[in-house]
Each structure stands twice: as C-alpha cells, then as structure tokens.
Amino acid sequence: MANFSAADIKRLRDLSGAGMMDCKNALAESDGDIDVAIELLRKKGVKDAGKRADRTAANGLVIAELEGTSAGVLIELNCETDFVAKNEGFQELAAKIAQAAIAKKPADRLALLATETADGKTVETLIEDASASIKEKLELGRYALLDGGYVTTYLHKSDRDLPPTIGVLVQLDAANEEVAKDIAQQIAAAGALYVTRDEVPADVVEKERRIAEEITREEGKPEQAIPKIVEGRVGAFYKDVVLTEQASVKDPKQTIKSVLAAGKVNVKAFARFRVGQA
C-alpha cells in the first residue's frame, strides 16, 4: 500500500490544482513521493503543477446571504484574475458557499470550509474542484456571520462589468429598514473600523496620540499648545474610523450618531469586506 495520507493528497492538490482522484493516483504511482507525483501530473497535462501555490489570489467577489432580517453572512471568494471573477461558474460557486453558510451558520472561516453544501461536498472540496477545473488558484477569503437583531446588507460594484467587490453586513438592535440601508452604505463608502469610540483598542489610540505629538513638535508648535493640538488630531482620527462619529455621507451636516438617534436604533455590529484588502 502506498505511503501517503489525506493530508498529502490535499497538499498535492494545492500545489498542482489537479483533481482529487488524479492526485490520489499520482501519489499511489509515486509511492507517496510528492515531487515525483508532481512530475507525473505534469506529464499527464497539468502544466502548472508545482506552481499554483506561489500565485496570488487578489481578485474575486463579495457575496451576502440573508435569513429574513434576523441573520446574515458575508463572504469573500478570491481568484487570480478579474476574468475569472466575472465567470458564471465562479459566481455560482460563491452562491453555493453563501447558501451553505446561512443554512449551517458556521462560527468562523475554518468551520465554513468544513461545512457541507447542498452538493454533498464540503466548501473546501468545492473550491478545490473549481480551482482544478478553472485552472486558477481559488481561495475562501474572509467570512462574517451576524445573527440576531435586525440584519441587512449592501453590495457595491466598483466596476459595472465585475461582480461586487465591496460588501457590508450590518446588525441593528431593532428594525428600521431605511436607517439600516443608510448605515450599510455609509460603511461601504467611509470605511469605518469600529462602531463606537470605546471599541478602539487602547494601543491603537496611544499610537495615534504618539504620532500626533511627534508631528506637532516637528511643526514647531508652542509647547503649551501641544496637548490641545494633539487631542484635536486624535479626535479627528476617531471621526475617521469610528462609525458613530463620522459625518453622514448622505447628509454631512449630521453625524451617524444623530442618524441612529433619530431612527431610535443602535448598531450592534458590522462587517465590511473589500476584495484583496486585508
């Protein structure tokens, strides 16, 4: 019996992009030797065997799926080229993954990879099979699940010929369709990182304060004025990254905090993905 494991088959699939049975047969023929197996696959027509792992999957799409208004998932699926991103098969793959995610509600990305889809295969296997068929490196990017409260989503196309590349999932503590839509679009446009000031990690604030002080001193400001200037710059940082402190893109005279207050709702959580952005 050949000396190889399921992990060896997976590794060979990652390296070659070949199908599972092709990899299994190549390992059996090479008695478990990965390098020999790659050579065998190359001889059989897998021209990029051994090269795929070095590629970068920086294109792709963002897709969302809702369960009514009570739960939602946001998923990033990556590929190497925008040509594949607009491929119907690639978009169908993303839809299958999103449907499995909202049905099973896995806790995180790794759990999603192991989730069984309607095809009876795991998400990971579907991606690997599609990768072998399309001849490009495909990867499951980020994944978010928001469950409870009032959940909505917004997807944005940066190019009309491509699928959405920016996606937002928002969770409010009460139903308000209009405000939820405005908040989702706000997050897509302005890129908030936190809901409130309290969520910003202390080390992040301290770093911003240190940078602000260094810049202020380099500008030669009077010593007695430095603390006030630094605090002003830290305040500007909050207005940039904290959702409730941002000016509304729809009405810059209002802050998002006032928009939420008028709608009598609060943002419990949100997720924002932009393809290729960590």
Side-chain angles (χ1 to χ4, degrees):
M1 183 176 177
N3 183 29
F4 63 89
S5 65
D8 293 324
I9 296 174
K10 183 181 185 307
R11 182 186 172 201
L12 184 55
R13 292 190 74 185
D14 290 342
L15 289 171
S16 68
M20 183 178 291
M21 289 309 300
D22 287 337
C23 290
K24 187 174 181 180
N25 291 337
L27 284 167
E29 190 174 343
S30 67
D31 197 29
D33 189 307
I34 293 285
D35 292 334
V36 174
I38 289 175
E39 187 64 27
L40 288 170
L41 288 171
R42 291 185 64 188
K43 290 177 181 178
K44 292 178 181 179
V46 184
K47 296 180 180 180
D48 59 349
K51 299 178 182 179
R52 185 159 299 183
D54 295 327
R55 296 180 182 176
T56 300
N59 286 284
L61 59 78
V62 177
I63 189 169
E65 192 78 22
L66 296 175
E67 184 181 70
T69 58
S70 62
V73 294
L74 186 67
I75 294 166
E76 177 187 22
L77 185 63
N78 299 116
C79 57
E80 293 179 54
T81 64
D82 58 11
F83 177 79
V84 165
K86 57 187 176 182
N87 177 276
E88 185 176 340
F90 179 76
Q91 295 179 32
E92 288 177 354
L93 170 65
K96 288 180 180 180
I97 295 171
Q99 289 159 10
I102 196 63
K104 305 292 180 62
K105 297 186 178 66
D108 53 34
R109 178 182 176 276
L110 290 178
L112 176 56
L113 282 169
T115 296
E116 187 174 293
T117 67
D119 290 5
K121 298 180 179 181
T122 66
V123 167
E124 183 172 26
T125 299
L126 277 186
I127 292 173
E128 289 174 348
D129 289 349
S131 180
S133 175
I134 293 173
K135 307 298 184 188
E136 271 203 15
K137 182 177 183 178
L138 307 183
E139 291 181 336
L140 178 65
R142 290 162 290 177
Y143 163 70
L145 164 69
L146 294 179
D147 194 2
Y150 182 87
V151 180
T152 193
T153 185
Y154 172 71
L155 300 176
H156 177 76
K157 286 188 175 185
S158 302
D159 186 322
R160 66 181 181 181
D161 295 325
L162 295 174
T165 54
I166 298 176
V168 174
L169 196 64
V170 178
Q171 181 185 41
L172 303 183
D173 62 358
N176 190 318
E177 183 179 357
E178 183 178 355
V179 171
K181 179 182 177 182
D182 287 347
I183 296 302
Q185 292 178 344
Q186 171 79 25
I187 294 167
L193 300 176
Y194 312 95
V195 177
T196 65
R197 184 178 291 210
D198 292 341
E199 291 183 5
V200 186
D203 61 327
V204 173
V205 177
E206 185 54 38
K207 179 182 177 182
E208 289 299 319
R209 182 172 281 108
R210 184 172 64 252
I211 292 172
E213 183 172 346
E214 290 175 2
I215 292 174
T216 305
R217 290 187 183 280
E218 288 175 2
E219 290 174 343
K221 302 297 184 182
E223 188 66 29
Q224 64 273 20
I226 289 177
K228 185 175 181 179
I229 295 173
V230 168
E231 288 309 309
R233 284 176 164 164
V234 172
F237 163 74
Y238 281 127
K239 290 179 181 179
D240 187 42
V241 302
V242 174
L243 176 63
T244 54
E245 300 195 22
Q246 288 181 342
S248 168
V249 293
K250 189 175 179 180
D251 180 3
K253 294 180 179 180
Q254 291 192 78
T255 64
I256 294 302
K257 183 177 181 179
S258 64
V259 171
L260 292 169
K264 298 180 180 179
V265 293
N266 294 296
V267 176
K268 295 178 66 177
F270 70 84
R272 178 187 187 272
F273 299 160
R274 180 169 186 161
V275 171
Q277 185 180 69

